[in-house]
Amino acid sequence: ADRYDWQAVQDRWLPVWEALNLFRVADDPAGKPRKYVLDMFAYPSGDLHMGHAEAYAIGDVVARYHRLRGYSVLHPVGWDSFGLPAENAAIKRDLDPKKWTYGNIETQARSFRRYAISFDWDMRLHTSDPEYYRWTQWIFLRLFERGLAYQKRSSVNWCPQDQTVLANEQVVAGRCERCGSLITKRTLTQWYFKITEYAQRLLDDMSALEGHWPERVLTMQRNWIGRSEGAEIKFVVDGRDEPVTVFTSRPDTLHGATFLVVAADSELAGELCAPDRRAELDEYVERVKRLSEIERQSSDREKTGVFLGRTAAHPITGEQIPVWASDYVLADYGTGAIMAVPAHDQRDLDFARAFGLPVVVVVDTGEPDPAETGVATAGDGTLVNSGEVDGLAKDEAIRATVRQLTGKGLGSRTINFRLRDWLLSRQRFWGCPIPIIHCPDCGAVPVPDDQLPVRLPELSGADLRPKGVSPLATVPEWVNVPCPRCGGDAQRDTDTMDTFVDSSWYFLRFVSPHDSDRPFDPEALREWAPVDNYIGGVEHAILHLLYARFLTKALHDLGLVEFTEPFKALMNQGQVILNGASMSKSKGNLVDLGEELSTYGVDAVRLTMIFAGPPEEDIDWADVSPGGSGKFLARVWRLASDVGTAERDTGAGDTGVRRTTAKVVREVTQLIEDKRFNVAIARLMELTNALRKAVDGDVPAGDPAVREAVESLAIMLSLFAPYCAEESWATLGHAVADGDSVSRADWPTADEALLAEDVAVCVVQVNGKVRERLEVPTSITEDDLRELALGDPAVVRLLDGRDPRKVIVRAPKLVNLVVAP
Ligand code: ANZ
Ligand code: ZN
């Protein structure tokens, strides 16, 4: 054929690859070095989309490259197949969530195969399989035994649309991460993982990730953990044994504290409230509860609050200051109470001005009086109006104040974290059941290990519509069981786990996904883990990545995992957008992956994804040209068929072609190592053009150097366009069906001897005396060489500011400077 028929090429190789099972790690010889390359696994919400196409194309470049470099590469495939979207879609279409989910998985699996991602299909898993979630439950129970999984009654985020609670991490700007509804609060007893116990270690261990994870992800994690140094200070309240303890990051400003504020919706507010203020507080709290989190947290909202009818003693001056309740103080941060320093904290100043409370400046920052301007002065300065600490700077004042307070037993240094424990109960059906049985006599009793998994009941035709309690609660024969401890009547926990629990350990399961005796084989884990390259979206910067890091540490402490960080290196891909906007069905600007694949072919789409720019940048599909990619692939194929059909020349081969190829191989290798995949593709295009020119000129297509070059080209191209690469490889005479696939070739090596000739040593003389030797390209121009020599540090030093009288340049070997003595 003289036209490149990508459809025929796809149809030819896909079944051959499937038959060869090319990427099965089990077939690799034992001694090979190993790499674990992992793409964040897919959520089966429909067929694959453009975002998947980009992310998996990137991961596949990394996986294929390392395989060609001689590594045994674990590149497994799986599905994060529990979760709300499946359940919501199932409700909408009146389907069984299981059928819906597994149907989508099969669709995606077919698309992955067609898309030629080099997965080891033997290492496949689905988190909604009982074989998988049995071990999710097992891990839950190990954490429970350690006190790392516990129940607590507290005010939680509630999504009124999905009728379920959400973790803090799933509330984005006051809205449900999934459906966008405004979040409200509910007080419920729920299960939590004690991630807060790991806050400091989660921070400390980030130093090992520095340089290997995107800096912005590390920053987001640091901010989310939110370590804050400060002090707890006690204010004694008249007629109450317990003092009110506040958390402050600015103990130096203690003398400026003119009132206290406790969170209106905290128990403390109720306890402190004087009887004659009770009605007003109750009414205020009712009003606050109706507000969404978004409204509560907005900083420009007018400050509201209630005086609680009490005063507290200032710990240093003994002065009585009023105690207020307000919604701008959060019940679940710090101690849920603050000392208000209106002069130096804007929120406090707004409150003070709203209620006519005193403003006392205690830090002289040189700025105008906040009481008059309404602008708090938060900067550094010298302490004033502060007794013993007058005249001190901030840090000294903090130390002195804490010392004073410690002496009186009224304060101490503390570290506070913004991170909250991970709330994992969900009132939904399609998730991993919590393996706990509630007994009226024995309390929360773990389901014995030999009774795992606690399977989801078959609920065909049941009403899964959200009602605020888990649908599991409506299945009495599932709920009512004997207590494993006393045998009495007891009930299963009817909530399911947050799906982020499933995905926080799947990378461990992937090393031995079919092990039926344990969650993972420790021997296999030692061989493969931790993950060498993890590829996925930045939207997981805090949720999934923080949870996975936490769980790895917890399992490490349980003696189950040797390492403490799960992902050595992380790569975030950008988004695929259209005309500057993110794609969405509702906006009507969705590009359908299936259609693109049918129009341009798999290789052209994959190549376009990678060629569009650096992996971390967004791709605007309106600006790229899959048609152009297709033309390039056709050129490669034509070159391969010209060479493949030409009579083989037995000569030594063309040196120019060899040198060009060696140069490209060296560059492309480095570019792949540096993850500059788009530039690597540009080099392959240049190589293709150079070879075409040579063959159309005076180098015969049968020249051995040309054949080597096209073989190298096919191998390098196989990272991006595996079908075209395989077809070209076969055209060059390789018996793919017998196992000689391009994806099992050896990565080409650059012939250094050829490249060495490209550099010359240039001698730099000053007044005839050799002063410096420079390595320069043989092709350097006289002008460039002159500039290089004059800018050389040794030469600059010798010239010492003098202008040379004469500069003689003989590229590439000599520069002679004549300087007045
Ligand atoms: C007095 C003070 C003076 C404060 C000043 C700040 C500036 P970070 O750094 O985020 O930890 N705060 C403490 N608990 C709070 C709560 N539950 N809800 C709302 N605000 C709370 O912030 C610590 C500061 O936030 C604390 O230090 C406290 O105000 C406030 F010039 O205390 B500060
Ligand atoms: Zn019992």
Side-chain angles (χ1 to χ4, degrees), residues 348-369:
D348 298 344
L349 182 59
D350 294 343
F351 194 85
R353 284 161 67 95
F355 294 102
L357 295 159
V359 179
V360 176
V361 172
V362 290
V363 182
D364 181 5
T365 64
E367 288 156 288
D369 187 356

Side-chain angles (χ1 to χ4, degrees), residues 219-268:
T219 304
M220 283 164 85
Q221 291 220 350
R222 266 189 211 103
N223 292 342
W224 188 261
I225 297 167
R227 187 180 194 273
S228 172
E229 283 186 30
E232 283 188 359
I233 304 179
K234 294 190 167 100
F235 289 74
V236 176
V237 179
D238 249 355
R240 190 172 186 270
D241 292 341
E242 270 292 291
V244 173
T245 304
V246 304
F247 171 73
T248 176
S249 53
R250 296 288 307 272
D252 55 315
T253 63
L254 177 55
H255 280 264
T258 52
F259 55 98
L260 299 185
V261 187
V262 299
D265 52 344
S266 64
E267 276 175 30
L268 181 63

